[in-house]
Short mmCIF file of all heavy atoms in Angstrom, two decimals:
data_model
loop_
_atom_site.label_atom_id
_atom_site.label_comp_id
_atom_site.label_asym_id
_atom_site.label_seq_id
_atom_site.Cartn_x
_atom_site.Cartn_y
_atom_site.Cartn_z
N ALA B 49 186.92 -189.60 154.67
CA ALA B 49 186.15 -188.49 155.23
C ALA B 49 185.69 -187.52 154.14
O ALA B 49 186.50 -187.10 153.30
CB ALA B 49 186.99 -187.74 156.27
N PHE B 50 184.41 -187.21 154.15
CA PHE B 50 183.81 -186.21 153.25
C PHE B 50 183.71 -186.68 151.80
O PHE B 50 183.25 -185.92 150.95
CB PHE B 50 184.60 -184.89 153.27
CG PHE B 50 184.88 -184.32 154.62
CD1 PHE B 50 186.15 -183.90 154.97
CD2 PHE B 50 183.86 -184.18 155.55
CE1 PHE B 50 186.40 -183.35 156.22
CE2 PHE B 50 184.11 -183.63 156.80
CZ PHE B 50 185.38 -183.22 157.13
N ASP B 51 184.13 -187.89 151.48
CA ASP B 51 184.21 -188.32 150.07
C ASP B 51 182.88 -188.96 149.65
O ASP B 51 182.73 -190.19 149.68
CB ASP B 51 185.38 -189.27 149.89
CG ASP B 51 185.72 -189.50 148.42
OD1 ASP B 51 184.85 -189.27 147.55
OD2 ASP B 51 186.86 -189.90 148.14
N VAL B 52 181.95 -188.10 149.25
CA VAL B 52 180.61 -188.57 148.88
C VAL B 52 180.67 -189.53 147.71
O VAL B 52 179.97 -190.55 147.68
CB VAL B 52 179.71 -187.36 148.54
CG1 VAL B 52 178.34 -187.81 148.07
CG2 VAL B 52 179.58 -186.44 149.76
N ASP B 76 178.66 -186.87 154.76
CA ASP B 76 177.78 -185.71 154.81
C ASP B 76 178.53 -184.44 155.16
O ASP B 76 178.31 -183.83 156.20
CB ASP B 76 176.70 -186.01 155.86
CG ASP B 76 175.55 -185.02 155.82
OD1 ASP B 76 175.45 -184.25 154.85
OD2 ASP B 76 174.75 -185.03 156.77
N PRO B 77 179.43 -184.00 154.25
CA PRO B 77 180.17 -182.77 154.55
C PRO B 77 179.27 -181.56 154.73
O PRO B 77 179.68 -180.59 155.38
CB PRO B 77 181.09 -182.60 153.32
CG PRO B 77 180.54 -183.50 152.27
CD PRO B 77 179.82 -184.60 152.96
N GLY B 78 178.04 -181.61 154.23
CA GLY B 78 177.15 -180.46 154.36
C GLY B 78 176.24 -180.52 155.57
O GLY B 78 175.29 -179.75 155.67
N VAL B 79 176.54 -181.40 156.54
CA VAL B 79 175.69 -181.50 157.73
C VAL B 79 175.57 -180.13 158.41
O VAL B 79 176.56 -179.41 158.54
CB VAL B 79 176.23 -182.55 158.72
CG1 VAL B 79 177.60 -182.20 159.25
CG2 VAL B 79 175.25 -182.75 159.88
N SER B 81 174.08 -177.61 157.18
CA SER B 81 173.74 -176.60 156.16
C SER B 81 172.31 -176.83 155.70
O SER B 81 171.56 -177.60 156.29
CB SER B 81 174.69 -176.71 154.98
OG SER B 81 174.39 -177.87 154.22
N ARG B 83 171.34 -178.44 153.12
CA ARG B 83 171.12 -179.63 152.28
C ARG B 83 169.97 -180.47 152.84
O ARG B 83 169.79 -180.54 154.04
CB ARG B 83 172.41 -180.45 152.16
CG ARG B 83 172.86 -181.17 153.43
CD ARG B 83 172.42 -182.59 153.52
NE ARG B 83 172.79 -183.23 154.78
CZ ARG B 83 172.06 -183.17 155.89
NH1 ARG B 83 170.95 -182.47 155.93
NH2 ARG B 83 172.45 -183.79 156.98
N ASN B 112 172.87 -185.67 148.80
CA ASN B 112 174.06 -185.09 148.18
C ASN B 112 174.65 -186.00 147.11
O ASN B 112 175.80 -185.83 146.71
CB ASN B 112 175.12 -184.78 149.26
CG ASN B 112 175.55 -186.04 150.02
OD1 ASN B 112 175.22 -187.16 149.63
ND2 ASN B 112 176.27 -185.85 151.10
N PHE C 199 187.68 -186.29 162.05
CA PHE C 199 187.57 -185.22 161.07
C PHE C 199 188.48 -184.04 161.44
O PHE C 199 188.53 -183.05 160.73
CB PHE C 199 186.12 -184.74 160.96
CG PHE C 199 185.17 -185.83 160.54
CD1 PHE C 199 184.41 -186.52 161.47
CD2 PHE C 199 185.05 -186.19 159.21
CE1 PHE C 199 183.53 -187.53 161.09
CE2 PHE C 199 184.18 -187.19 158.81
CZ PHE C 199 183.42 -187.87 159.76
N ASN C 201 188.12 -182.19 164.21
CA ASN C 201 187.44 -181.21 165.07
C ASN C 201 188.03 -181.27 166.47
O ASN C 201 188.37 -182.35 166.97
CB ASN C 201 185.94 -181.51 165.12
CG ASN C 201 185.30 -181.47 163.74
OD1 ASN C 201 185.48 -180.51 163.00
ND2 ASN C 201 184.56 -182.52 163.40
N PHE C 237 179.32 -176.03 160.23
CA PHE C 237 180.54 -176.05 159.42
C PHE C 237 180.42 -175.25 158.14
O PHE C 237 181.39 -174.63 157.68
CB PHE C 237 180.88 -177.50 159.02
CG PHE C 237 181.09 -178.44 160.14
CD1 PHE C 237 180.13 -179.38 160.48
CD2 PHE C 237 182.26 -178.41 160.88
CE1 PHE C 237 180.33 -180.29 161.51
CE2 PHE C 237 182.48 -179.31 161.92
CZ PHE C 237 181.51 -180.24 162.24
N ASP C 238 179.25 -175.30 157.54
CA ASP C 238 179.14 -174.95 156.14
C ASP C 238 179.23 -173.46 155.86
O ASP C 238 179.48 -173.05 154.72
CB ASP C 238 177.82 -175.50 155.57
CG ASP C 238 178.02 -176.12 154.21
OD1 ASP C 238 178.91 -176.99 154.10
OD2 ASP C 238 177.32 -175.72 153.28
N LEU C 240 181.55 -171.63 156.97
CA LEU C 240 182.97 -171.25 157.02
C LEU C 240 183.59 -171.23 155.63
O LEU C 240 183.26 -172.05 154.77
CB LEU C 240 183.75 -172.24 157.88
CG LEU C 240 183.50 -172.12 159.39
CD1 LEU C 240 184.06 -173.34 160.12
CD2 LEU C 240 184.15 -170.85 159.93
N GLY C 241 184.48 -170.25 155.40
CA GLY C 241 185.30 -170.26 154.20
C GLY C 241 186.39 -171.32 154.31
O GLY C 241 186.63 -171.88 155.39
N THR C 242 187.05 -171.57 153.21
CA THR C 242 188.03 -172.66 153.15
C THR C 242 189.14 -172.49 154.19
O THR C 242 189.63 -173.47 154.75
CB THR C 242 188.65 -172.72 151.75
OG1 THR C 242 187.58 -172.90 150.82
CG2 THR C 242 189.63 -173.87 151.63
N GLU C 244 188.98 -170.60 157.01
CA GLU C 244 188.52 -170.06 158.29
C GLU C 244 188.48 -171.09 159.41
O GLU C 244 188.21 -172.27 159.17
CB GLU C 244 187.11 -169.50 158.13
CG GLU C 244 187.07 -168.06 157.69
CD GLU C 244 185.65 -167.52 157.84
OE1 GLU C 244 184.71 -168.15 157.30
OE2 GLU C 244 185.48 -166.50 158.51
N VAL C 258 186.62 -175.78 164.73
CA VAL C 258 186.41 -176.58 163.52
C VAL C 258 186.80 -175.80 162.28
O VAL C 258 186.89 -174.57 162.31
CB VAL C 258 184.92 -177.00 163.39
CG1 VAL C 258 184.45 -177.74 164.64
CG2 VAL C 258 184.03 -175.79 163.13
N CYS C 259 187.04 -176.53 161.20
CA CYS C 259 187.16 -175.95 159.87
C CYS C 259 186.10 -176.59 158.97
O CYS C 259 185.37 -177.47 159.40
CB CYS C 259 188.55 -176.22 159.28
SG CYS C 259 189.89 -175.34 160.10
N ARG C 260 186.02 -176.10 157.75
CA ARG C 260 185.08 -176.66 156.80
C ARG C 260 185.81 -177.70 155.95
O ARG C 260 186.68 -177.35 155.17
CB ARG C 260 184.52 -175.54 155.92
CG ARG C 260 183.54 -176.02 154.86
CD ARG C 260 182.80 -174.81 154.29
NE ARG C 260 181.98 -175.17 153.16
CZ ARG C 260 182.41 -175.18 151.89
NH1 ARG C 260 183.63 -174.81 151.61
NH2 ARG C 260 181.60 -175.53 150.92
N ARG C 261 185.49 -178.94 156.15
CA ARG C 261 186.04 -180.05 155.37
C ARG C 261 187.57 -180.13 155.48
O ARG C 261 188.24 -180.60 154.58
CB ARG C 261 185.61 -179.96 153.89
CG ARG C 261 184.11 -179.83 153.77
CD ARG C 261 183.61 -179.94 152.36
NE ARG C 261 182.20 -179.51 152.32
CZ ARG C 261 181.36 -179.73 151.33
NH1 ARG C 261 181.76 -180.36 150.26
NH2 ARG C 261 180.11 -179.31 151.39
N ARG C 262 188.11 -179.62 156.58
CA ARG C 262 189.54 -179.73 156.86
C ARG C 262 189.72 -179.99 158.34
O ARG C 262 188.88 -179.59 159.16
CB ARG C 262 190.26 -178.41 156.53
CG ARG C 262 190.66 -178.28 155.08
CD ARG C 262 191.78 -177.26 154.95
NE ARG C 262 191.45 -176.02 155.67
CZ ARG C 262 192.35 -175.13 156.07
NH1 ARG C 262 193.65 -175.36 155.85
NH2 ARG C 262 191.98 -174.03 156.70
N PRO C 263 190.83 -180.61 158.73
CA PRO C 263 191.05 -180.89 160.15
C PRO C 263 191.55 -179.65 160.91
O PRO C 263 192.70 -179.24 160.72
CB PRO C 263 192.10 -182.01 160.16
CG PRO C 263 192.77 -181.91 158.82
CD PRO C 263 191.82 -181.28 157.87
N ALA C 264 190.73 -179.10 161.74
CA ALA C 264 191.13 -177.93 162.53
C ALA C 264 192.32 -178.25 163.43
O ALA C 264 193.16 -177.39 163.70
CB ALA C 264 189.95 -177.44 163.37
#
Side-chain angles (χ1 to χ4, degrees):
Chain B
F50 309 131
D51 193 339
V52 176
D76 192 12
V79 62
S81 73
R83 70 95 184 85
N112 60 11
Chain C
F199 301 98
N201 301 310
F237 301 105
D238 223 53
L240 287 167
T242 303
E244 272 192 306
V258 304
C259 291
R260 179 166 173 271
R261 308 188 192 195
R262 275 201 311 159

